[in-house]
Amino acid sequence: MKNRPITYSKNIFIPVTNVCRNKCAYCGFRRPAEHKDAFLMTEEEIIPVLKRGAAAGCTEAMFAFGESPEQNPEFMKRFGKQLNDAGFKTVIEYTEHLCRLTLDYGMLPHVNGGVLSFDELKRLAPLNASMGLMLETTADVLAHKDCPGKIPAARLEMIENAGKLKMPFTTGLLIGIGETRNDWIESLQAIQKLHGKYGHIQEIILQNYTPNSGQENSTRELKAPTKADMIDLILLTKNTLTPDITIQVAPNLMSPLELIQYGVTDLGGISPVTIDYINPESAWPKIEELRNLLSSKGYEFKERLPVHPQYVKKGWYGADTKELIEKLADADGYRKTDGL
């Protein structure tokens, strides 16, 4: 085996709501609140997913959902009563409850709900093993027209606030949305600057824009990157970021094997239970198939928790997750394989 393991997390994906204040041109997940397919998941819908995840041995529940949906008056008209009847005023309050529920089922929450205020981050941090927000780009691109949450300064501020809270953080770049190669470099430098100050960036996702049939506002600036583009970005990332930041690609969006040889070390959350709701037309590969493929090339495919091993060992994670992390992690901070 080669010395460097390729890591992944076994997870479930819970899309709490697909209503979002942003109107990204490339998004196939978002729906306006008045759309027939808009939803706010109920606890009764979420509990069976938690049970299935626990039964499948998943350790991560990723809560990804639309940003600040309450800013859309139609959301509150349609879903406000559902929230209030459940005892909550906001989606963040509801998510806090869902995180507690997740811990009860033996899985670790990882929330990625768009730009959150410092107070919202502070509220959720104790219940999360790690949290996330894609920077995407520091560029002003047409694909982000009518997207108040995609202002780069706002996203960088949240990433910095996570650092102030010592919250292990996942961020990343999305390429093919109208940005340039120089924008890649500027975005990577911005991430490294924050990591140099706080030391909390556990991984960077390098995500290629992938067309999907659910897009509402496609523009001509959108262009699916080639494998050569991704290799170029991986090499730039290796040369810009310190090696303690894991480089991740999504194995359902581009075949990972060739990318690994250029510096990718992680394949992110892979679910045996739920689909990728952001890219629903791109199915997850089977974990065992990936393991066999990587093994044939001399790589160990090693399961981790949603908080990366170095942060497990440092004790950087939400206080309420400590007991479960100590149960799930081995001495090196990876997923324990026996004795659970």
Side-chain angles (χ1 to χ4, degrees), residues 182-219:
N182 282 339
D183 294 327
W184 300 353
I185 296 170
E186 289 181 9
S187 300
L188 291 167
Q189 289 173 339
I191 290 168
Q192 180 57 47
K193 182 178 179 181
L194 290 176
H195 182 66
K197 187 174 182 180
Y198 298 102
H200 67 305
I201 307 295
Q202 62 174 2
E203 62 187 352
I204 181 167
I205 302 170
L206 304 180
Q207 185 171 334
N208 49 304
Y209 158 68
T210 303
N212 64 81
S213 60
Q215 290 174 218
E216 294 183 307
N217 307 302
S218 184
T219 67

PDB file of all heavy atoms in Angstrom, residues 182-219:
ATOM      1  N   ASN A 182      -7.222  32.965 -12.417  1.00  0.00           N
ATOM      2  CA  ASN A 182      -6.712  33.888 -11.399  1.00  0.00           C
ATOM      3  C   ASN A 182      -7.646  33.958 -10.198  1.00  0.00           C
ATOM      4  O   ASN A 182      -7.199  34.120  -9.054  1.00  0.00           O
ATOM      5  CB  ASN A 182      -6.513  35.285 -11.991  1.00  0.00           C
ATOM      6  CG  ASN A 182      -5.245  35.386 -12.826  1.00  0.00           C
ATOM      7  OD1 ASN A 182      -4.322  34.589 -12.669  1.00  0.00           O
ATOM      8  ND2 ASN A 182      -5.200  36.369 -13.716  1.00  0.00           N
ATOM      9  N   ASP A 183      -8.949  33.827 -10.454  1.00  0.00           N
ATOM     10  CA  ASP A 183      -9.911  33.795  -9.345  1.00  0.00           C
ATOM     11  C   ASP A 183      -9.700  32.563  -8.478  1.00  0.00           C
ATOM     12  O   ASP A 183      -9.877  32.617  -7.255  1.00  0.00           O
ATOM     13  CB  ASP A 183     -11.345  33.817  -9.876  1.00  0.00           C
ATOM     14  CG  ASP A 183     -11.697  35.114 -10.584  1.00  0.00           C
ATOM     15  OD1 ASP A 183     -11.173  36.167 -10.184  1.00  0.00           O
ATOM     16  OD2 ASP A 183     -12.494  35.069 -11.545  1.00  0.00           O
ATOM     17  N   TRP A 184      -9.342  31.438  -9.101  1.00  0.00           N
ATOM     18  CA  TRP A 184      -9.035  30.242  -8.309  1.00  0.00           C
ATOM     19  C   TRP A 184      -7.913  30.559  -7.324  1.00  0.00           C
ATOM     20  O   TRP A 184      -8.000  30.230  -6.142  1.00  0.00           O
ATOM     21  CB  TRP A 184      -8.579  29.085  -9.193  1.00  0.00           C
ATOM     22  CG  TRP A 184      -9.530  28.594 -10.222  1.00  0.00           C
ATOM     23  CD1 TRP A 184     -10.836  28.960 -10.393  1.00  0.00           C
ATOM     24  CD2 TRP A 184      -9.238  27.640 -11.248  1.00  0.00           C
ATOM     25  NE1 TRP A 184     -11.376  28.294 -11.464  1.00  0.00           N
ATOM     26  CE2 TRP A 184     -10.427  27.475 -12.007  1.00  0.00           C
ATOM     27  CE3 TRP A 184      -8.106  26.919 -11.602  1.00  0.00           C
ATOM     28  CZ2 TRP A 184     -10.495  26.612 -13.093  1.00  0.00           C
ATOM     29  CZ3 TRP A 184      -8.170  26.049 -12.690  1.00  0.00           C
ATOM     30  CH2 TRP A 184      -9.360  25.904 -13.424  1.00  0.00           C
ATOM     31  N   ILE A 185      -6.869  31.194  -7.848  1.00  0.00           N
ATOM     32  CA  ILE A 185      -5.698  31.489  -7.017  1.00  0.00           C
ATOM     33  C   ILE A 185      -6.074  32.440  -5.884  1.00  0.00           C
ATOM     34  O   ILE A 185      -5.705  32.223  -4.719  1.00  0.00           O
ATOM     35  CB  ILE A 185      -4.567  32.076  -7.884  1.00  0.00           C
ATOM     36  CG1 ILE A 185      -4.087  31.030  -8.901  1.00  0.00           C
ATOM     37  CG2 ILE A 185      -3.408  32.552  -7.014  1.00  0.00           C
ATOM     38  CD1 ILE A 185      -3.139  31.582  -9.960  1.00  0.00           C
ATOM     39  N   GLU A 186      -6.824  33.492  -6.204  1.00  0.00           N
ATOM     40  CA  GLU A 186      -7.233  34.448  -5.170  1.00  0.00           C
ATOM     41  C   GLU A 186      -8.107  33.781  -4.110  1.00  0.00           C
ATOM     42  O   GLU A 186      -7.978  34.067  -2.912  1.00  0.00           O
ATOM     43  CB  GLU A 186      -7.976  35.622  -5.813  1.00  0.00           C
ATOM     44  CG  GLU A 186      -7.082  36.540  -6.630  1.00  0.00           C
ATOM     45  CD  GLU A 186      -7.845  37.709  -7.235  1.00  0.00           C
ATOM     46  OE1 GLU A 186      -9.033  37.883  -6.878  1.00  0.00           O
ATOM     47  OE2 GLU A 186      -7.256  38.435  -8.054  1.00  0.00           O
ATOM     48  N   SER A 187      -8.979  32.896  -4.537  1.00  0.00           N
ATOM     49  CA  SER A 187      -9.854  32.197  -3.591  1.00  0.00           C
ATOM     50  C   SER A 187      -9.049  31.286  -2.672  1.00  0.00           C
ATOM     51  O   SER A 187      -9.284  31.241  -1.452  1.00  0.00           O
ATOM     52  CB  SER A 187     -10.907  31.389  -4.356  1.00  0.00           C
ATOM     53  OG  SER A 187     -11.703  32.227  -5.172  1.00  0.00           O
ATOM     54  N   LEU A 188      -8.105  30.562  -3.238  1.00  0.00           N
ATOM     55  CA  LEU A 188      -7.248  29.685  -2.436  1.00  0.00           C
ATOM     56  C   LEU A 188      -6.420  30.497  -1.443  1.00  0.00           C
ATOM     57  O   LEU A 188      -6.256  30.107  -0.281  1.00  0.00           O
ATOM     58  CB  LEU A 188      -6.336  28.871  -3.348  1.00  0.00           C
ATOM     59  CG  LEU A 188      -7.020  27.802  -4.205  1.00  0.00           C
ATOM     60  CD1 LEU A 188      -6.065  27.283  -5.281  1.00  0.00           C
ATOM     61  CD2 LEU A 188      -7.522  26.646  -3.345  1.00  0.00           C
ATOM     62  N   GLN A 189      -5.913  31.630  -1.892  1.00  0.00           N
ATOM     63  CA  GLN A 189      -5.111  32.475  -1.005  1.00  0.00           C
ATOM     64  C   GLN A 189      -5.952  33.014   0.149  1.00  0.00           C
ATOM     65  O   GLN A 189      -5.473  33.110   1.289  1.00  0.00           O
ATOM     66  CB  GLN A 189      -4.486  33.621  -1.805  1.00  0.00           C
ATOM     67  CG  GLN A 189      -3.377  33.172  -2.744  1.00  0.00           C
ATOM     68  CD  GLN A 189      -2.886  34.285  -3.659  1.00  0.00           C
ATOM     69  OE1 GLN A 189      -3.589  35.283  -3.888  1.00  0.00           O
ATOM     70  NE2 GLN A 189      -1.690  34.135  -4.194  1.00  0.00           N
ATOM     71  N   ALA A 190      -7.206  33.353  -0.129  1.00  0.00           N
ATOM     72  CA  ALA A 190      -8.092  33.853   0.927  1.00  0.00           C
ATOM     73  C   ALA A 190      -8.356  32.773   1.975  1.00  0.00           C
ATOM     74  O   ALA A 190      -8.387  33.048   3.185  1.00  0.00           O
ATOM     75  CB  ALA A 190      -9.407  34.335   0.317  1.00  0.00           C
ATOM     76  N   ILE A 191      -8.540  31.542   1.515  1.00  0.00           N
ATOM     77  CA  ILE A 191      -8.759  30.427   2.440  1.00  0.00           C
ATOM     78  C   ILE A 191      -7.510  30.178   3.280  1.00  0.00           C
ATOM     79  O   ILE A 191      -7.583  30.002   4.505  1.00  0.00           O
ATOM     80  CB  ILE A 191      -9.169  29.164   1.657  1.00  0.00           C
ATOM     81  CG1 ILE A 191     -10.580  29.345   1.082  1.00  0.00           C
ATOM     82  CG2 ILE A 191      -9.103  27.920   2.545  1.00  0.00           C
ATOM     83  CD1 ILE A 191     -10.972  28.292   0.065  1.00  0.00           C
ATOM     84  N   GLN A 192      -6.354  30.179   2.634  1.00  0.00           N
ATOM     85  CA  GLN A 192      -5.113  29.941   3.367  1.00  0.00           C
ATOM     86  C   GLN A 192      -4.846  31.044   4.388  1.00  0.00           C
ATOM     87  O   GLN A 192      -4.345  30.773   5.492  1.00  0.00           O
ATOM     88  CB  GLN A 192      -3.935  29.826   2.398  1.00  0.00           C
ATOM     89  CG  GLN A 192      -2.595  29.568   3.077  1.00  0.00           C
ATOM     90  CD  GLN A 192      -2.599  28.324   3.946  1.00  0.00           C
ATOM     91  OE1 GLN A 192      -3.060  27.261   3.520  1.00  0.00           O
ATOM     92  NE2 GLN A 192      -2.106  28.439   5.175  1.00  0.00           N
ATOM     93  N   LYS A 193      -5.189  32.266   4.048  1.00  0.00           N
ATOM     94  CA  LYS A 193      -4.981  33.376   4.989  1.00  0.00           C
ATOM     95  C   LYS A 193      -5.768  33.149   6.277  1.00  0.00           C
ATOM     96  O   LYS A 193      -5.249  33.343   7.384  1.00  0.00           O
ATOM     97  CB  LYS A 193      -5.394  34.693   4.334  1.00  0.00           C
ATOM     98  CG  LYS A 193      -5.167  35.915   5.212  1.00  0.00           C
ATOM     99  CD  LYS A 193      -5.550  37.196   4.479  1.00  0.00           C
ATOM    100  CE  LYS A 193      -5.340  38.422   5.371  1.00  0.00           C
ATOM    101  NZ  LYS A 193      -5.726  39.678   4.665  1.00  0.00           N
ATOM    102  N   LEU A 194      -7.021  32.717   6.138  1.00  0.00           N
ATOM    103  CA  LEU A 194      -7.839  32.459   7.329  1.00  0.00           C
ATOM    104  C   LEU A 194      -7.324  31.247   8.097  1.00  0.00           C
ATOM    105  O   LEU A 194      -7.297  31.246   9.331  1.00  0.00           O
ATOM    106  CB  LEU A 194      -9.300  32.256   6.928  1.00  0.00           C
ATOM    107  CG  LEU A 194     -10.027  33.510   6.437  1.00  0.00           C
ATOM    108  CD1 LEU A 194     -11.438  33.167   5.979  1.00  0.00           C
ATOM    109  CD2 LEU A 194     -10.075  34.575   7.532  1.00  0.00           C
ATOM    110  N   HIS A 195      -6.908  30.224   7.367  1.00  0.00           N
ATOM    111  CA  HIS A 195      -6.378  29.039   8.047  1.00  0.00           C
ATOM    112  C   HIS A 195      -5.074  29.371   8.770  1.00  0.00           C
ATOM    113  O   HIS A 195      -4.829  28.865   9.880  1.00  0.00           O
ATOM    114  CB  HIS A 195      -6.146  27.913   7.044  1.00  0.00           C
ATOM    115  CG  HIS A 195      -5.650  26.647   7.681  1.00  0.00           C
ATOM    116  ND1 HIS A 195      -6.411  25.904   8.555  1.00  0.00           N
ATOM    117  CD2 HIS A 195      -4.450  26.001   7.588  1.00  0.00           C
ATOM    118  CE1 HIS A 195      -5.719  24.851   8.965  1.00  0.00           C
ATOM    119  NE2 HIS A 195      -4.526  24.894   8.398  1.00  0.00           N
ATOM    120  N   GLY A 196      -4.262  30.210   8.167  1.00  0.00           N
ATOM    121  CA  GLY A 196      -3.022  30.612   8.818  1.00  0.00           C
ATOM    122  C   GLY A 196      -3.271  31.346  10.126  1.00  0.00           C
ATOM    123  O   GLY A 196      -2.462  31.268  11.059  1.00  0.00           O
ATOM    124  N   LYS A 197      -4.398  32.028  10.204  1.00  0.00           N
ATOM    125  CA  LYS A 197      -4.737  32.793  11.405  1.00  0.00           C
ATOM    126  C   LYS A 197      -5.378  31.929  12.481  1.00  0.00           C
ATOM    127  O   LYS A 197      -5.101  32.096  13.675  1.00  0.00           O
ATOM    128  CB  LYS A 197      -5.681  33.934  11.018  1.00  0.00           C
ATOM    129  CG  LYS A 197      -5.982  34.916  12.135  1.00  0.00           C
ATOM    130  CD  LYS A 197      -6.804  36.088  11.604  1.00  0.00           C
ATOM    131  CE  LYS A 197      -7.079  37.113  12.704  1.00  0.00           C
ATOM    132  NZ  LYS A 197      -7.882  38.264  12.183  1.00  0.00           N
ATOM    133  N   TYR A 198      -6.243  30.971  12.067  1.00  0.00           N
ATOM    134  CA  TYR A 198      -7.037  30.217  13.039  1.00  0.00           C
ATOM    135  C   TYR A 198      -6.755  28.713  13.055  1.00  0.00           C
ATOM    136  O   TYR A 198      -7.079  28.040  14.032  1.00  0.00           O
ATOM    137  CB  TYR A 198      -8.532  30.437  12.774  1.00  0.00           C
ATOM    138  CG  TYR A 198      -8.958  31.872  12.929  1.00  0.00           C
ATOM    139  CD1 TYR A 198      -9.163  32.680  11.816  1.00  0.00           C
ATOM    140  CD2 TYR A 198      -9.138  32.431  14.193  1.00  0.00           C
ATOM    141  CE1 TYR A 198      -9.547  34.009  11.952  1.00  0.00           C
ATOM    142  CE2 TYR A 198      -9.527  33.755  14.341  1.00  0.00           C
ATOM    143  CZ  TYR A 198      -9.721  34.539  13.214  1.00  0.00           C
ATOM    144  OH  TYR A 198     -10.091  35.854  13.359  1.00  0.00           O
ATOM    145  N   GLY A 199      -6.225  28.163  11.973  1.00  0.00           N
ATOM    146  CA  GLY A 199      -5.881  26.745  11.938  1.00  0.00           C
ATOM    147  C   GLY A 199      -7.064  25.800  11.934  1.00  0.00           C
ATOM    148  O   GLY A 199      -6.951  24.662  12.391  1.00  0.00           O
ATOM    149  N   HIS A 200      -8.202  26.226  11.380  1.00  0.00           N
ATOM    150  CA  HIS A 200      -9.429  25.435  11.529  1.00  0.00           C
ATOM    151  C   HIS A 200      -9.954  24.823  10.240  1.00  0.00           C
ATOM    152  O   HIS A 200     -10.949  24.088  10.278  1.00  0.00           O
ATOM    153  CB  HIS A 200     -10.529  26.311  12.130  1.00  0.00           C
ATOM    154  CG  HIS A 200     -10.989  27.428  11.226  1.00  0.00           C
ATOM    155  ND1 HIS A 200     -10.124  28.351  10.685  1.00  0.00           N
ATOM    156  CD2 HIS A 200     -12.229  27.762  10.766  1.00  0.00           C
ATOM    157  CE1 HIS A 200     -10.810  29.212   9.942  1.00  0.00           C
ATOM    158  NE2 HIS A 200     -12.079  28.870   9.965  1.00  0.00           N
ATOM    159  N   ILE A 201      -9.331  25.098   9.099  1.00  0.00           N
ATOM    160  CA  ILE A 201      -9.826  24.545   7.835  1.00  0.00           C
ATOM    161  C   ILE A 201      -9.363  23.093   7.726  1.00  0.00           C
ATOM    162  O   ILE A 201      -8.183  22.820   7.530  1.00  0.00           O
ATOM    163  CB  ILE A 201      -9.333  25.353   6.618  1.00  0.00           C
ATOM    164  CG1 ILE A 201      -9.660  26.840   6.776  1.00  0.00           C
ATOM    165  CG2 ILE A 201      -9.935  24.781   5.339  1.00  0.00           C
ATOM    166  CD1 ILE A 201     -11.133  27.159   6.781  1.00  0.00           C
ATOM    167  N   GLN A 202     -10.297  22.162   7.853  1.00  0.00           N
ATOM    168  CA  GLN A 202      -9.917  20.748   7.838  1.00  0.00           C
ATOM    169  C   GLN A 202      -9.826  20.193   6.422  1.00  0.00           C
ATOM    170  O   GLN A 202      -9.056  19.267   6.162  1.00  0.00           O
ATOM    171  CB  GLN A 202     -10.888  19.915   8.667  1.00  0.00           C
ATOM    172  CG  GLN A 202     -12.333  19.916   8.190  1.00  0.00           C
ATOM    173  CD  GLN A 202     -13.203  18.944   8.982  1.00  0.00           C
ATOM    174  OE1 GLN A 202     -12.745  18.283   9.919  1.00  0.00           O
ATOM    175  NE2 GLN A 202     -14.467  18.832   8.600  1.00  0.00           N
ATOM    176  N   GLU A 203     -10.598  20.764   5.510  1.00  0.00           N
ATOM    177  CA  GLU A 203     -10.588  20.241   4.143  1.00  0.00           C
ATOM    178  C   GLU A 203     -11.094  21.306   3.183  1.00  0.00           C
ATOM    179  O   GLU A 203     -11.862  22.195   3.561  1.00  0.00           O
ATOM    180  CB  GLU A 203     -11.453  18.987   4.027  1.00  0.00           C
ATOM    181  CG  GLU A 203     -12.917  19.216   4.333  1.00  0.00           C
ATOM    182  CD  GLU A 203     -13.740  17.934   4.387  1.00  0.00           C
ATOM    183  OE1 GLU A 203     -13.214  16.871   4.034  1.00  0.00           O
ATOM    184  OE2 GLU A 203     -14.916  18.003   4.791  1.00  0.00           O
ATOM    185  N   ILE A 204     -10.640  21.185   1.951  1.00  0.00           N
ATOM    186  CA  ILE A 204     -11.140  22.039   0.882  1.00  0.00           C
ATOM    187  C   ILE A 204     -11.716  21.142  -0.202  1.00  0.00           C
ATOM    188  O   ILE A 204     -11.063  20.216  -0.686  1.00  0.00           O
ATOM    189  CB  ILE A 204     -10.045  22.965   0.318  1.00  0.00           C
ATOM    190  CG1 ILE A 204     -10.630  23.862  -0.786  1.00  0.00           C
ATOM    191  CG2 ILE A 204      -8.836  22.186  -0.187  1.00  0.00           C
ATOM    192  CD1 ILE A 204      -9.726  25.009  -1.180  1.00  0.00           C
ATOM    193  N   ILE A 205     -12.969  21.402  -0.540  1.00  0.00           N
ATOM    194  CA  ILE A 205     -13.635  20.663  -1.608  1.00  0.00           C
ATOM    195  C   ILE A 205     -13.368  21.383  -2.927  1.00  0.00           C
ATOM    196  O   ILE A 205     -13.605  22.591  -3.033  1.00  0.00           O
ATOM    197  CB  ILE A 205     -15.151  20.578  -1.362  1.00  0.00           C
ATOM    198  CG1 ILE A 205     -15.457  19.917  -0.023  1.00  0.00           C
ATOM    199  CG2 ILE A 205     -15.837  19.830  -2.502  1.00  0.00           C
ATOM    200  CD1 ILE A 205     -16.920  20.017   0.391  1.00  0.00           C
ATOM    201  N   LEU A 206     -12.875  20.660  -3.899  1.00  0.00           N
ATOM    202  CA  LEU A 206     -12.701  21.198  -5.243  1.00  0.00           C
ATOM    203  C   LEU A 206     -13.817  20.604  -6.092  1.00  0.00           C
ATOM    204  O   LEU A 206     -13.769  19.436  -6.471  1.00  0.00           O
ATOM    205  CB  LEU A 206     -11.321  20.838  -5.794  1.00  0.00           C
ATOM    206  CG  LEU A 206     -10.136  21.278  -4.914  1.00  0.00           C
ATOM    207  CD1 LEU A 206      -8.817  20.871  -5.551  1.00  0.00           C
ATOM    208  CD2 LEU A 206     -10.175  22.780  -4.637  1.00  0.00           C
ATOM    209  N   GLN A 207     -14.833  21.410  -6.335  1.00  0.00           N
ATOM    210  CA  GLN A 207     -16.046  20.895  -6.976  1.00  0.00           C
ATOM    211  C   GLN A 207     -16.199  21.452  -8.380  1.00  0.00           C
ATOM    212  O   GLN A 207     -16.109  22.657  -8.601  1.00  0.00           O
ATOM    213  CB  GLN A 207     -17.284  21.246  -6.145  1.00  0.00           C
ATOM    214  CG  GLN A 207     -18.562  20.640  -6.704  1.00  0.00           C
ATOM    215  CD  GLN A 207     -19.737  20.803  -5.769  1.00  0.00           C
ATOM    216  OE1 GLN A 207     -19.572  20.925  -4.556  1.00  0.00           O
ATOM    217  NE2 GLN A 207     -20.941  20.816  -6.317  1.00  0.00           N
ATOM    218  N   ASN A 208     -16.437  20.560  -9.300  1.00  0.00           N
ATOM    219  CA  ASN A 208     -16.677  20.939 -10.685  1.00  0.00           C
ATOM    220  C   ASN A 208     -18.164  21.158 -10.920  1.00  0.00           C
ATOM    221  O   ASN A 208     -18.993  20.329 -10.529  1.00  0.00           O
ATOM    222  CB  ASN A 208     -16.146  19.862 -11.635  1.00  0.00           C
ATOM    223  CG  ASN A 208     -16.600  18.456 -11.265  1.00  0.00           C
ATOM    224  OD1 ASN A 208     -16.378  17.998 -10.144  1.00  0.00           O
ATOM    225  ND2 ASN A 208     -17.238  17.769 -12.201  1.00  0.00           N
ATOM    226  N   TYR A 209     -18.506  22.302 -11.520  1.00  0.00           N
ATOM    227  CA  TYR A 209     -19.897  22.539 -11.898  1.00  0.00           C
ATOM    228  C   TYR A 209     -20.370  21.413 -12.809  1.00  0.00           C
ATOM    229  O   TYR A 209     -19.695  21.035 -13.775  1.00  0.00           O
ATOM    230  CB  TYR A 209     -20.030  23.887 -12.614  1.00  0.00           C
ATOM    231  CG  TYR A 209     -21.268  23.982 -13.477  1.00  0.00           C
ATOM    232  CD1 TYR A 209     -22.534  24.005 -12.900  1.00  0.00           C
ATOM    233  CD2 TYR A 209     -21.168  24.016 -14.865  1.00  0.00           C
ATOM    234  CE1 TYR A 209     -23.671  24.060 -13.693  1.00  0.00           C
ATOM    235  CE2 TYR A 209     -22.302  24.081 -15.664  1.00  0.00           C
ATOM    236  CZ  TYR A 209     -23.552  24.096 -15.073  1.00  0.00           C
ATOM    237  OH  TYR A 209     -24.676  24.141 -15.856  1.00  0.00           O
ATOM    238  N   THR A 210     -21.539  20.876 -12.471  1.00  0.00           N
ATOM    239  CA  THR A 210     -22.122  19.777 -13.240  1.00  0.00           C
ATOM    240  C   THR A 210     -23.541  20.160 -13.646  1.00  0.00           C
ATOM    241  O   THR A 210     -24.387  20.389 -12.779  1.00  0.00           O
ATOM    242  CB  THR A 210     -22.159  18.485 -12.393  1.00  0.00           C
ATOM    243  OG1 THR A 210     -20.828  18.183 -11.952  1.00  0.00           O
ATOM    244  CG2 THR A 210     -22.695  17.320 -13.201  1.00  0.00           C
ATOM    245  N   PRO A 211     -23.828  20.274 -14.934  1.00  0.00           N
ATOM    246  CA  PRO A 211     -25.187  20.638 -15.363  1.00  0.00           C
ATOM    247  C   PRO A 211     -26.208  19.624 -14.857  1.00  0.00           C
ATOM    248  O   PRO A 211     -25.922  18.435 -14.746  1.00  0.00           O
ATOM    249  CB  PRO A 211     -25.091  20.604 -16.895  1.00  0.00           C
ATOM    250  CG  PRO A 211     -23.634  20.740 -17.200  1.00  0.00           C
ATOM    251  CD  PRO A 211     -22.915  20.075 -16.068  1.00  0.00           C
ATOM    252  N   ASN A 212     -27.401  20.119 -14.536  1.00  0.00           N
ATOM    253  CA  ASN A 212     -28.473  19.222 -14.125  1.00  0.00           C
ATOM    254  C   ASN A 212     -29.804  19.784 -14.587  1.00  0.00           C
ATOM    255  O   ASN A 212     -29.943  20.989 -14.827  1.00  0.00           O
ATOM    256  CB  ASN A 212     -28.454  18.993 -12.616  1.00  0.00           C
ATOM    257  CG  ASN A 212     -28.714  20.259 -11.824  1.00  0.00           C
ATOM    258  OD1 ASN A 212     -29.857  20.661 -11.653  1.00  0.00           O
ATOM    259  ND2 ASN A 212     -27.649  20.908 -11.350  1.00  0.00           N
ATOM    260  N   SER A 213     -30.781  18.924 -14.697  1.00  0.00           N
ATOM    261  CA  SER A 213     -32.059  19.305 -15.300  1.00  0.00           C
ATOM    262  C   SER A 213     -32.889  20.214 -14.407  1.00  0.00           C
ATOM    263  O   SER A 213     -33.854  20.818 -14.867  1.00  0.00           O
ATOM    264  CB  SER A 213     -32.866  18.047 -15.638  1.00  0.00           C
ATOM    265  OG  SER A 213     -33.123  17.286 -14.466  1.00  0.00           O
ATOM    266  N   GLY A 214     -32.516  20.334 -13.124  1.00  0.00           N
ATOM    267  CA  GLY A 214     -33.309  21.150 -12.213  1.00  0.00           C
ATOM    268  C   GLY A 214     -32.944  22.618 -12.196  1.00  0.00           C
ATOM    269  O   GLY A 214     -33.576  23.407 -11.499  1.00  0.00           O
ATOM    270  N   GLN A 215     -31.915  23.017 -12.952  1.00  0.00           N
ATOM    271  CA  GLN A 215     -31.487  24.417 -12.946  1.00  0.00           C
ATOM    272  C   GLN A 215     -32.602  25.325 -13.442  1.00  0.00           C
ATOM    273  O   GLN A 215     -33.250  25.048 -14.443  1.00  0.00           O
ATOM    274  CB  GLN A 215     -30.260  24.593 -13.846  1.00  0.00           C
ATOM    275  CG  GLN A 215     -29.006  23.955 -13.303  1.00  0.00           C
ATOM    276  CD  GLN A 215     -27.854  24.028 -14.290  1.00  0.00           C
ATOM    277  OE1 GLN A 215     -27.078  23.103 -14.403  1.00  0.00           O
ATOM    278  NE2 GLN A 215     -27.752  25.126 -15.008  1.00  0.00           N
ATOM    279  N   GLU A 216     -32.777  26.449 -12.731  1.00  0.00           N
ATOM    280  CA  GLU A 216     -33.827  27.394 -13.093  1.00  0.00           C
ATOM    281  C   GLU A 216     -33.317  28.564 -13.918  1.00  0.00           C
ATOM    282  O   GLU A 216     -34.045  29.130 -14.719  1.00  0.00           O
ATOM    283  CB  GLU A 216     -34.480  27.956 -11.824  1.00  0.00           C
ATOM    284  CG  GLU A 216     -35.244  26.942 -11.004  1.00  0.00           C
ATOM    285  CD  GLU A 216     -35.919  27.599  -9.824  1.00  0.00           C
ATOM    286  OE1 GLU A 216     -35.233  28.290  -9.067  1.00  0.00           O
ATOM    287  OE2 GLU A 216     -37.137  27.449  -9.684  1.00  0.00           O
ATOM    288  N   ASN A 217     -32.066  28.956 -13.699  1.00  0.00           N
ATOM    289  CA  ASN A 217     -31.585  30.232 -14.232  1.00  0.00           C
ATOM    290  C   ASN A 217     -30.257  30.091 -14.968  1.00  0.00           C
ATOM    291  O   ASN A 217     -29.357  30.908 -14.811  1.00  0.00           O
ATOM    292  CB  ASN A 217     -31.397  31.233 -13.077  1.00  0.00           C
ATOM    293  CG  ASN A 217     -32.635  31.375 -12.228  1.00  0.00           C
ATOM    294  OD1 ASN A 217     -33.683  31.720 -12.736  1.00  0.00           O
ATOM    295  ND2 ASN A 217     -32.514  31.097 -10.941  1.00  0.00           N
ATOM    296  N   SER A 218     -30.091  29.048 -15.765  1.00  0.00           N
ATOM    297  CA  SER A 218     -28.809  28.786 -16.406  1.00  0.00           C
ATOM    298  C   SER A 218     -28.363  29.967 -17.276  1.00  0.00           C
ATOM    299  O   SER A 218     -29.169  30.609 -17.943  1.00  0.00           O
ATOM    300  CB  SER A 218     -28.904  27.526 -17.268  1.00  0.00           C
ATOM    301  OG  SER A 218     -27.649  27.221 -17.823  1.00  0.00           O
ATOM    302  N   THR A 219     -27.056  30.260 -17.255  1.00  0.00           N
ATOM    303  CA  THR A 219     -26.494  31.329 -18.072  1.00  0.00           C
ATOM    304  C   THR A 219     -25.365  30.774 -18.925  1.00  0.00           C
ATOM    305  O   THR A 219     -24.804  29.716 -18.636  1.00  0.00           O
ATOM    306  CB  THR A 219     -25.936  32.469 -17.196  1.00  0.00           C
ATOM    307  OG1 THR A 219     -24.793  31.985 -16.476  1.00  0.00           O
ATOM    308  CG2 THR A 219     -26.978  32.966 -16.206  1.00  0.00           C
TER     309      THR A 219
END
